[in-house]
Amino acid sequence: MSNPFRYFNSSPEVIRLVVMMYVRYPLSLRNVEDLLAERGIDISHETVRFWWNRFGPMFAAEIRKNRVAHMRGCPQWRWHLDEVFVKVSGKLCYLWRAVDHEGEVLEAVVTAKRDKAAALKFLKRIMKTYGRPQKIVTDGLCSYSAAMKEIGNADRQEVGRRLNNRAENSHQPFRRRESAMQRFRSAKTLQKFSSVHAQVHNHFNQERHLVTRQSYKQRRSAALAEWRALAA
């Protein structure tokens, strides 16, 4: 693999730091520029934009590859599916998201509609990557039921009050990030950022409310070490 940083004057460490700050935290491009200036790193906000567009998908793909290889060897107990409205240039689009029973974001897909065809496209994509789960929890949207029947998963669907809270809560980090970005200008940008954000969120989500402080510090250090080794 050729060095992806070979045409850049900045070090790979700085580029990884910039991408992590912009994608992981609810910061604007100029917020990242100002925070780096305090550390003595002089780059413009347009450089931040270029770097996350160039390296964000590359880092996310490497994280996803490693996590998918691990998850395919484990039983998929339950998936939670949900969709939210996202306004793009004044028009409503739909962001479909799938999370597993532990809150891991499996897939994020942007569509113009939320009909049977969109639901079918979403389900086929995640099943092609991860296989079939034992149960799939959805809300009462009819598109899910129709798509489930077509692929033969109707008996695995669960619909109930508050059963899908895990999927609905998983939207919160993305919503905070969306607010800082002042929304999106195209569906293509929305698809790219939502996919990158999901993988970065998975990588650094250490479930700190479930473990001791010492265990959390160890997991955080391991996640940062893995991040610094991306595209090395």
Side-chain angles (χ1 to χ4, degrees), residues 74-81 98-101 106 123 126-128 130-137 148 151-153 155-157:
C74 302
Q76 298 294 307
W77 295 343
R78 176 178 293 182
W79 290 352
H80 298 259
L81 312 184
V99 300
D100 67 4
H101 59 282
L106 303 176
L123 286 168
I126 56 178
M127 287 183 178
K128 180 180 180 181
Y130 298 97
R132 291 176 179 261
Q134 297 177 12
K135 295 293 181 182
I136 300 179
V137 181
M148 293 283 192
I151 62 177
N153 265 12
D155 59 325
R156 304 188 184 192
Q157 184 181 12

Side-chain angles (χ1 to χ4, degrees), residues 34-217:
D34 293 341
L35 288 172
L36 291 172
E38 293 179 3
R39 298 187 175 195
I41 303 174
D42 183 19
I43 62 172
S44 72
H45 67 279
E46 289 298 336
T47 301
V48 178
R49 187 199 308 274
F50 178 76
W51 282 354
W52 98 256
N53 274 286
R54 175 72 177 267
F55 294 100
M58 184 188 306
F59 295 160
E62 188 169 338
I63 293 172
R64 179 186 176 90
K65 180 181 178 181
N66 295 333
R67 298 183 83 87
V68 168
H70 171 72
M71 293 180 68
R72 285 190 69 90
C74 302
Q76 298 294 307
W77 295 343
R78 176 178 293 182
W79 290 352
H80 298 259
L81 312 184
D82 194 36
E83 75 290 337
V84 291
F85 299 93
V86 181
K87 187 169 289 188
V88 178
S89 297
K91 297 181 180 180
L92 287 179
C93 290
Y94 302 94
L95 176 62
W96 304 70
R97 289 163 65 88
V99 300
D100 67 4
H101 59 282
E102 294 182 338
E104 185 100 350
V105 181
L106 303 176
E107 193 69 65
V109 176
V110 177
T111 63
K113 299 180 180 180
R114 58 171 184 169
D115 53 7
K116 174 185 173 182
L120 196 59
K121 172 186 175 182
F122 178 52
L123 286 168
K124 286 182 176 180
R125 178 177 296 188
I126 56 178
M127 287 183 178
K128 180 180 180 181
T129 305
Y130 298 97
R132 291 176 179 261
Q134 297 177 12
K135 295 293 181 182
I136 300 179
V137 181
T138 68
D139 55 22
L141 184 66
C142 297
S143 301
Y144 287 120
S145 301
M148 293 283 192
K149 289 179 181 178
E150 181 158 331
I151 62 177
N153 265 12
D155 59 325
R156 304 188 184 192
Q157 184 181 12
E158 292 184 357
V159 180
R161 188 178 182 183
R162 292 189 293 271
L163 283 179
N164 213 25
N165 283 355
R166 183 172 291 280
E168 294 173 0
N169 291 337
S170 74
H171 296 302
Q172 294 178 6
F174 176 79
R175 285 301 197 189
R176 289 193 292 267
R177 196 65 198 80
E178 178 192 15
S179 178
M181 295 180 68
Q182 299 181 355
R183 302 190 184 278
F184 299 89
R185 295 184 180 181
S186 69
K188 182 179 179 181
T189 303
L190 171 59
Q191 178 65 72
K192 176 190 284 189
F193 186 84
S194 61
S195 299
V196 173
H197 180 268
Q199 298 306 319
V200 174
H201 176 74
N202 288 341
H203 184 74
F204 288 104
N205 182 23
Q206 305 301 325
E207 298 182 331
R208 64 183 306 168
H209 62 292
L210 299 177
V211 297
T212 63
R213 173 67 177 170
Q214 187 64 29
S215 297
Y216 170 70
K217 290 169 63 177

